[in-house]
């Protein structure tokens, strides 16, 4: 039982944010600290490295290690529009926002950007609807590569094969059929090197 005047556990888990524009105590609001924390897991597609981290949504740049609970250095990656893990969808290449990711898993942000996945055609590669995929702009590809491909202004995320002048885009879900396009019709944007999974419990 708490002594009179002592703080409860709930009170100890709150902090105050002061509205700097109006330096008035009436503008002080209480927030539960857990309302500001989002949990993520980075999974390397090529090296299978995993890293758990958290982000303080009140401070977008703040990335916290889930192991140590301390803030870690991070890299800012451009976040483009959604990319389809299903039928291709229109791709907007304008950078609307940025995503901060620990540089323990990615050492340099050169030629890197992120796309949010929409659809379930890559679930057997452990890429799910709502995940964020880290894409590297290069043509250093092999048969195991997962690539972001643009066809007529629409983008999709698939494994691929080249057969003559045809590019075969291979979903990783038995409920989807391969997409066949001419090599001349397609532009490989880059290869996926990692996946960021959201709402990790």
């Amino acid at each position: 039982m708490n002594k009179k005047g002592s703080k409860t556990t709930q009170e100890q888990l709150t902090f105050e944010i002061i509205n700097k524009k109006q330096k008035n105590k009436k503008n002080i609001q209480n927030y539960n600290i857990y309302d500001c924390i989002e949990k993520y897991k980075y999974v390397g597609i090529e090296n299978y490295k995993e890293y758990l981290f958290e982000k303080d949504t009140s401070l977008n740049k703040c990335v916290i290690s889930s192991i140590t609970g301390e803030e870690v250095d991070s890299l800012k990656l451009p976040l483009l529009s959604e990319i389809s893990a299903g039928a291709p969808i229109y791709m907007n290449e304008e950078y609307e926002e940025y995503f901060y990711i620990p540089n323990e898993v990615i050492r340099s942000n050169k030629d890197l950007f992120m796309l949010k996945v929409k659809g379930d055609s890559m679930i057997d590669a452990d890429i799910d609807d709502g995940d964020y995929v880290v894409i590297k702009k290069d043509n250093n590809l092999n048969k195991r590569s997962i690539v972001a491909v643009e066809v007529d202004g629409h983008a999709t995320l698939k494994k691929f094969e080249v057969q003559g002048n045809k590019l075969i885009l291979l979903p990783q879900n038995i409920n989807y059929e391969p997409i066949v396009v001419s090599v001349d019709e397609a532009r490989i944007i880059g290869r996926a090197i990692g996946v960021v999974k959201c709402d990790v419990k």
Side-chain angles (χ1 to χ4, degrees):
M1 187 171 180
N2 290 320
K3 295 180 179 179
K4 185 176 180 181
S6 65
K7 292 185 178 180
T8 66
T9 301
Q10 181 63 31
E11 288 172 338
Q12 292 171 357
L13 291 177
T14 64
F15 62 95
E16 294 181 336
I17 295 178
I18 301 176
N19 186 332
K20 293 181 180 179
K21 293 182 178 179
Q22 299 181 25
K23 298 178 181 178
N24 189 316
K25 289 185 178 180
K26 292 182 180 180
N27 292 308
I28 297 176
Q29 295 179 319
N30 289 331
Y31 292 87
N32 189 313
I33 191 169
Y34 292 116
D35 291 340
C36 299
I37 298 298
E38 293 180 349
K39 297 184 178 182
Y40 300 89
K41 179 171 72 172
Y42 174 88
V43 181
I45 290 177
E46 299 175 340
N47 59 15
Y48 304 106
K49 184 175 182 178
E50 295 188 359
Y51 187 92
L52 294 172
F53 66 99
E54 301 169 0
K55 291 178 66 178
D56 185 339
T57 56
S58 67
L59 301 167
N60 187 38
K61 297 181 181 180
C62 183
V63 177
I64 304 164
S65 166
S66 295
I67 304 301
T68 66
E70 298 178 350
E71 184 176 353
V72 297
D73 292 334
S74 60
L75 294 174
K76 181 173 75 171
L77 300 185
L79 178 61
L80 272 68
S81 57
E82 295 174 329
I83 189 167
S84 171
I89 60 175
Y90 177 74
M91 179 178 176
N92 178 7
E93 292 198 36
E94 294 183 0
Y95 297 160
E96 298 178 354
E97 54 184 307
Y98 292 87
F99 193 100
Y100 289 82
I101 193 166
N103 68 356
E104 286 192 33
V105 292
I106 295 179
R107 297 296 181 182
S108 171
N109 57 3
K110 183 180 179 181
D111 296 326
L112 295 182
F113 62 92
M114 297 180 72
L115 291 164
K116 187 174 183 179
V117 175
K118 183 177 182 180
D120 62 357
S121 73
M122 297 298 290
I123 58 175
D124 290 339
D126 199 25
I127 299 176
D128 301 302
D129 185 40
D131 288 348
Y132 293 93
V133 180
V134 181
I135 304 292
K136 183 173 180 61
K137 297 178 184 177
D138 69 16
N139 292 317
N140 184 21
L141 309 175
N142 57 54
K143 290 183 178 180
R144 294 178 298 174
S145 295
I146 295 173
V147 295
V149 182
E150 180 184 357
V151 181
D152 295 330
H154 294 73
T156 189
L157 188 73
K158 298 287 186 291
K159 284 195 172 183
F160 78 104
E161 288 182 3
V162 178
Q163 297 180 4
N165 65 344
K166 299 293 185 183
L167 186 65
I168 317 297
L169 304 177
L170 303 168
Q172 301 300 292
N173 182 335
I174 60 173
N175 296 317
Y176 289 82
E177 296 291 330
I179 299 172
V180 181
V181 297
S182 167
V183 172
D184 296 332
E185 296 175 332
R187 176 175 72 94
I188 294 179
I189 304 167
R191 77 179 195 276
I193 64 170
V195 180
V196 175
K197 296 191 165 293
C198 310
D199 300 324
V200 177
K201 304 301 183 183

